Amino acid sequence: MTTEHTRRRVLRTGAAGLAATVGLGTLGTAAANRGRGDENRRGFGRVYANDVLWRTNVVKVLDERPDPEDKIYFLHDGSGPIVANSDASKEQLSPFVSESAPGDQDWNGGKWTHFSAKVTDIDAFNEDAPITNDADVLDADYIEVELGRPGFGPPDYFICPLNGRA
């Protein structure tokens, strides 16, 4: 009976240890990739809105532009998210910037229309980083904004709630 008790304890402890290891591994991967864009369209981590960093995840891809909509700007360098560019400021914690957030009168619950925001001058970007609100994106002469995705990043239209501060 002592052997079974010990065996059960070993199995229970081993299972708990395995679960903790898998959980930490997942957390480590998520932490390493926060806000870097998720090509599988399931989520992308974090979004700046009104100078605050929010948690988020894509819950549904839409076939057409939502009305009403929330505009989201995807900062990139033409080949990937700006946060993946080794020359870009590490202060930029997310490539995504929203025009609104929960609590704003114009917030529509995260019914996003995607706008490509191409950074054309990394040095100028680094001087201003982090870019944390839509006015900074739209006012920067080194960021080219146009409707739609640049061929990578989130889909053109999607639902993605902001579900708490990051």
Side-chain angles (χ1 to χ4, degrees), residues 6 11 82 85 87 98 116 128:
T6 304
L11 289 173
I82 196 66
N85 184 319
D87 293 330
S98 168
S116 168
D128 293 341

Side-chain angles (χ1 to χ4, degrees), residues 23-36 44-46:
L24 290 175
T26 303
L27 178 62
T29 301
N33 293 319
R34 289 183 297 196
R36 300 267 185 210
F44 53 80
R46 303 184 300 175

